[in-house]
Structure formats: structure tokens, C-alpha cells
Amino acid sequence: MAAASANPTVLVVDFGAQYGQLIARRVRDLGVYSEIIPCDMTAAEVGALDPAAIILSGGPASVYAEDAPSLDPGVLELGVPVLGFCYGQQAMAVALGGEVAHTDKGEYGPAPLALTSEGGASALFAGMPAEQTVWMSHRDAVSRVPEGFVVTSRTDVCPVASMECPERRLYATQFHPEVRHTPFGDEMLANFLFDVCGLERTWTMDSIIQDSVAAIREQVGESRVILGLSGGVDSSVVAALCARAIGRQLTCVFVNHGLLRKGEPEEVEEVFTRQFDVDFVHVHAEDRYAALLAGVTDPEEKRHIIGSQFWKEFFAVAEELAEDGRPVQFLAQGTIYPDIIESGARKTGGKASTIKSHHNLIPFPEGVSFELIEPLDHFFKDEVRALGTALGLPDYIVQRQPFPGPGLAIRIIGEVTLAKLALLKDADAIVREELDAYNQAAWEEDGERPVWQYFAVLPDVRSVGVMGDERTYGYPVILRAVESSDAMTADWAKLPYELLTKISTRITSEVEGINRVVYDITSKPPATIEWE
Ligand code: XMP
């Protein structure tokens, strides 16, 4: 992706899932562009990417384990500054003839670190106190540093907590500067990037927008682009970016399946017809979806119907657009960097090409083909949100929580009917209103939004209640509110009783037909976040 190539790049060699992402994010937060590469790339392949610096991540393996990932020693001979963390330090030591030993005692959690003065003052620790706390997580440790290296810090348990060979600009730590539990971690990274490597803060929102706009213009030329706008964060940001780059060459197709949350279709239409100068097509497919979903109760069947109908609606618009003799050549998508990393894609040399497997999932009809443009394919989610804000998208779009493509259809257990949809939309709107306020208050107080995702679910049962003097026989609503960081695991949110009471009271009194509210107190696993 050309947007990235204008910037000096720090490559993070990933020795274990997650570590690489965290490091790349920290580097980017410091204003330097960073990408993750797999650890089995050869020195020649790494060199071809022309990195400004290399960081070796931690990893769960022991360097002496049978299939432990190893580092091509040539990577350390490229003349590029290298910084290794944890497993990265051990891999560096082994690659250069040092030794790593199993220690009797592991070291996990915070550890007091003392700087040594063996090699004079280390550039990595410049401006820091002689003693500080760092985060450790290891059993093995370097027992003999390679020739030419000096030990720059130690802990009670770990004799080589960091080492370096400043002449060759090779640095390493046994601890993890990338985690927040190492209070001076960011300073260490900054010392490496700016003092050791001489880099500058070029990865700024302005440069990101400028580079992305230029890249889109170059790729698209005078051609026409179509985008499936769902109202979610990613597709909205792609739309805003393409609007800036190519204006009316872009057509945003918003397929309204009637399964969005209350108020959302109106919000999307408002933003993309008033605020951005793009061609916006609102496809009112609510009736067609309602007919297709009638009588369907199986969750997978619902998903399938909704997904395949989306593409039918979408291609129908593309065909209609082409009737004026200007066919649509490009399809824009909101693929983001973690999608690429998780699909196991890898760089193939040069900064411009990335292979993705998930493209094949789009069921293009016979004879239809588009070139893809994916302007967010190098951005993390929080960067996508920042980009959206910088491009002028309102907070209610940029801060939107994850919402499944099949929408409310998979939050209505059993058959989806218009009447049930109306009940769920109203109840869900109350849940969102109350929890938005709760999250916002927490954000203002301590900078965190404690509840990650929250919504209402309508089960396929009814129960007896009493209102006034009347017996009722209505639906319950299930409140789902979870804490999570990546949706892979989640815990139910320990909401204050008063808030639960307020939500319950509001729903039962404001939504006619709902006479009971229950709270889902199951974590993931064993449950999932959604009910279907
Ligand atoms: P589960 O229910 O598997 O959900 O714990 C994990 C996260 O993914 C979202 N989700 C979906 N997102 N299409 C999507 O785009 C889907 O079909 C879908 N199903 C679940 C869910 O909201 C949660 O954040």
C-alpha cells in the first residue's frame, strides 16, 4: 500500500501472536510508521523492505525448543539498528554466539531493575533513574552475552536484563518495554527511535491523510468506485477518505435491510448526503428482507440469506450505474490491518503488495469483476477512528461499537417479524442511551470506557406479568453488556444495581409488549457475545 511507503518504516519481527501488534502500535503512537513481518523471512527479504529499524518481538517459545522460531543472523548484519524484547533478546544472543540458559526460577510480573554502568551510559535508558520497575515474563534468560556486547541492566533474578552493542546499534531487553506495566517503556522506545536511529515523527494524522489520498488518486485515476456502506466505523471511514480523494467518482451504496438499530439509517444518510460530497444511494430493501426472512428460525440460515441478499442488492446498483456507459471499475472495502495479519497474509517484497485470502469470500456473480481498493489495510482500529475524526465524521459513527453484519436478525431469537423488530429497536435504544451515558461518565472521570459492547436481545418466549391491575403476557428482553478488548474473550459487565434498575424500569414502562428484563451474566467462553 503506497500510503505507507513514503514513511521510514520500523519492521517488527513477530515471534508470537499479539506481541508484534502491540509493539507496532506503540511505535506508531510515537509517530513512526511500523509494520509487522513474520519471523521466518530471510535477511534478504527483510533488507528488500528497506527498514529504518527492526524490533524483535517477544514470543512464547524457548529458543532451544525443537521448532522454536529462529532469527536469520543476517538480519543483524544489515546495518539497520535492531532492538529485541524478551524472546527477541534471546534470539539475538543466540544468533550472535551468546548463550541462553533455563533458569530455576521464572520471573513474572513487575521486577525492580538496576542499571549497570559497564559500557557507560546506555542511550536506551537516557534520562531515566538508575532504578525502575519493569515487566518481566520469562523462564529462560541470556547467560552469556555475545562478543562485543555489554550488560546494561539486571534484576535480582536476571543477570542480563538488557544488553547492547552500541557500535553496531544492536540493543535488547529481557523485559517488555511495550507493555504499560513498564512505566518508562515508551521513553525507551523513543530513545531507540529518535536518538539511536535518528528517526523523526513523520507518521502523523496529516501525513496519513495526505499519503492515503494520494495513493487512492493514483490507484483509481479517473475511474469509478463503488462502496458498500454499512454505517459501521470502517466502511464510513473509507467513504470519508475516498470522498476527500475522488469525490463524486465514488458511489456509496447503503443497503438498508431494516435490521439496523433505531436511528442508524437516518444518521448514515444525513452524514453522507449533507456532509460529504459523494454519490449516495439508499437502497430500501426492508420489505424484500422481511419477505426472505419470514418463517426462518435457524441462525445460520438467517446469516446466509442476509449476506447473499446484500450482494444481490449491491450488484443491482452497480449494474444500474453502468447503464450510463461508465462502468464501475473499483470496489472499495474497509479491510483493516488486523484482518490482514489474522488472515496470515504476508509481505511479498516491496512495500506495495499484500496478499489476502478473505477476498474470495465475496460471491461475485458471473462476469462481474472489480479491482479492490482497501485504503485502511495498514491501520489499526484506533487509527481508523482517529482518521475518521480527522476527516470530520461525527463521534456517533467513529465511536460506534461492533455490530454484526446480519444486524438485529441475530438478536431476535427465532423468527424475525416486523413487530419483534420494533420491540427490539425500542428496547435496544434505551439500553444504548443508558450505557452510553454510563461509559461517557467513566470516560470523563478516568479516561476509560468500561463497557465494551452492549445491546438488547429478544428471545422467543413470553412470560406472565402484571401492570396496574392487568395481567400481561409479554416478551422479556435480555440485556447483554460485556467487557472485552478484542471480542475473543469477554466478561459480563458488573453494572451498578441502580443502573440495572433504571434500564429495567425504563424498558418495561416505555416499550409496550415487554414486561420483563433479565441480565445475561455469562462470560465468553463458554457463551458468545451474541446470542445467535
Ligand atoms: P461472538 O458472538 O462470536 O461475537 O462472541 C464476537 C464479536 O463479533 C461480532 N459479530 C459479528 N460481526 N458479522 C460481524 O461483522 C457477524 O456475523 C458477527 N457475529 C458476531 C459481535 O457483535 C462481537 O463484537
Side-chain angles (χ1 to χ4, degrees), residues 124-139:
L124 204 59
F125 299 112
M128 284 169 222
E131 295 189 358
Q132 57 171 293
T133 302
V134 296
W135 188 261
M136 286 286 196
S137 178
H138 70 110
R139 183 163 280 281

Side-chain angles (χ1 to χ4, degrees), residues 303 402-406 410-411 452-453 487 524 528-530 532:
R303 277 174 194 273
F403 185 67
I410 59 161
R411 292 179 180 170
W452 194 77
Q453 192 174 8
K524 172 184 180 177
T528 49
I529 297 176
E530 303 287 348
E532 283 197 338

Side-chain angles (χ1 to χ4, degrees), residues 401 429-441 449 454:
Q401 42 181 307
I430 294 170
V431 171
R432 282 195 292 145
E433 198 181 311
E434 292 299 333
L435 278 154
D436 282 349
Y438 175 71
N439 256 356
Q440 186 60 25
R449 293 187 171 85
Y454 39 90

Side-chain angles (χ1 to χ4, degrees), residues 271-290:
V271 168
F272 289 99
T273 53
R274 290 179 188 264
Q275 207 180 321
F276 292 95
D277 190 24
V278 293
D279 186 17
F280 179 88
V281 181
H282 187 148
V283 183
H284 281 284
E286 297 97 316
D287 293 345
R288 291 190 284 281
Y289 273 92

Side-chain angles (χ1 to χ4, degrees), residues 32 52 194 200 249 315 326 336 407 492 519 531:
V32 178
F194 305 124
E200 286 177 20
Q249 283 165 260
F315 288 120
R326 290 171 50 233
I336 67 171
W492 62 280
Y519 190 28
W531 269 55

